[in-house]
Amino acid sequence: MATRILVSIICFGLLSGCKSADEYLSEGQNLSSAGNFRAALSVFEKAIQKNPFLKDAYIQLGLCHENLNQHDLAISAYMKLLHLYPDNTAAYYYSGISKYKQKKFEEAITFFNKAIYTKGGFNSADTTSVQALIDLNKDNFESESAEIDIPTREILFDRGMAYYKTGEMKNACTDFANCVIQNYNTVTSHYMIGLCKPARRNKKYAGESFPESSHDADRILSNTAKK
C-alpha cells in the first residue's frame, strides 16, 4: 500500500512538471486576476521557459511587475519581447505606460509613437482625410488578442496625457480630438481639450492649472492602464 502511494506521488510530480506553456500562461493569468502578482511572476517565467516565443507571457509578466510598482523590471520584460518581435505594439505601448508612471513623459511619448508606428502609422493632425478616418475606425474590429493589438485610439489617448504633462498642449489637444472622433473616452477627452485650450492661450493660466489637472491626468491614465 505504501509503495503504491509513493508511486502515485512520483507520477503526480512528473505529470505536474509536464505542463505546457499555454497551461502555465493560463495559471498565471488566474493568479494575476486574483491579485496574487508575485506568485504569477514565477508561473509566467515558467511559461517563457517552455516557450520563449509566447508573446502574451512577456506582456503578462510585465503587467505583474507594473502592479508591484517594479517599472524597470516591467520594461525589461517588454524589451525581451521586442528583441524577439521588434514590431510588437503592446510591448511599446506598455513600455510607454511604465515610463509615464515613472514621470518620464518624453520617453513615454517616444514609446507611444513607436506603438502607433507598428500599426502602420497615423497622422493625428489630419482628421479630415478619408485615410485618417479609416485609420481611426479600423480598430473597431475584434482583434485576436487584446493584450497584443492595442487600438490606436487608446494609444492616442495616453499619448495625449503624456503630451499634456510636457506642456505640448497643441499635440495633446489633437490627440484628444481624435479620440472624440472615435467616441473613445469622449467625456474625459472633451475635458482634457478644455484644459489644453485655455492653457495654450494663457501661459499664466497654464501655470496655475497644470498641477491640479496633472493629478486628474495621473488618475485617468492609471485607470486606463488597468483595463
Side-chain angles (χ1 to χ4, degrees):
M1 181 70 176
T3 303
R4 187 175 299 174
I5 293 174
L6 180 61
V7 171
S8 297
I9 292 173
I10 293 173
C11 289
F12 177 79
L14 290 172
L15 289 173
S16 63
C18 294
K19 290 181 182 178
S20 69
D22 287 334
E23 287 173 327
Y24 278 125
L25 177 63
S26 179
E27 180 183 342
Q29 288 173 323
N30 289 335
L31 288 168
S32 179
S33 297
N36 197 347
F37 302 114
R38 293 190 184 280
L41 286 174
S42 62
V43 178
F44 289 133
E45 290 282 8
K46 290 178 181 178
I48 291 171
Q49 289 174 5
K50 284 284 185 177
N51 181 3
F53 299 95
L54 187 59
K55 299 176 184 179
D56 276 337
Y58 291 95
I59 296 299
Q60 294 295 337
L61 183 67
L63 292 176
C64 280
H65 282 303
E66 281 292 335
N67 280 290
L68 294 169
N69 292 316
Q70 299 171 341
H71 305 304
D72 286 332
L73 290 176
I75 293 172
S76 177
Y78 304 140
M79 291 300 104
K80 289 177 182 177
L81 177 56
L82 287 169
H83 180 73
L84 297 172
Y85 301 98
D87 294 327
N88 187 272
T89 303
Y92 282 122
Y93 171 73
Y94 286 118
S95 294
I97 295 294
S98 297
K99 289 295 185 181
Y100 186 99
K101 290 180 178 178
Q102 292 179 315
K103 300 186 185 301
K104 298 178 180 180
F105 305 117
E106 291 184 354
E107 292 181 46
I109 291 169
T110 297
F111 277 117
F112 291 143
N113 287 341
K114 289 180 178 179
I116 291 173
Y117 181 79
T118 63
K119 297 176 69 65
F122 178 77
N123 180 9
S124 60
D126 181 6
T127 60
T128 59
S129 72
V130 173
Q131 185 58 49
L133 292 175
I134 291 174
D135 288 341
L136 280 167
N137 290 284
K138 67 185 178 183
D139 293 315
N140 289 330
F141 300 99
E142 292 290 335
S143 61
E144 292 183 1
S145 172
E147 297 297 346
I148 297 301
D149 188 14
I150 308 298
T152 302
R153 55 181 174 267
E154 188 170 340
I155 304 170
L156 290 174
F157 181 85
D158 293 335
R159 188 179 68 175
M161 288 296 191
Y163 274 138
Y164 179 82
K165 283 290 197 174
T166 61
E168 299 178 67
M169 301 303 177
K170 183 177 180 180
N171 287 334
C173 191
T174 299
D175 278 350
F176 292 127
N178 278 308
C179 290
V180 170
I181 290 174
Q182 294 188 79
N183 293 317
Y184 180 74
N185 279 356
T186 53
V187 173
T188 304
S189 294
H190 276 299
Y191 171 73
M192 294 305 298
I193 290 170
L195 289 177
C196 292
K197 287 186 175 180
R200 288 175 58 195
R201 291 195 297 266
N202 189 328
K203 291 183 179 179
K204 182 175 182 297
Y205 177 90
E208 294 173 350
S209 66
F210 198 83
E212 180 179 357
S213 54
S214 294
H215 174 75
D216 293 330
D218 280 335
R219 174 178 54 78
I220 293 165
L221 183 54
S222 177
N223 290 338
T224 303
K226 293 177 182 178
K227 292 178 181 178

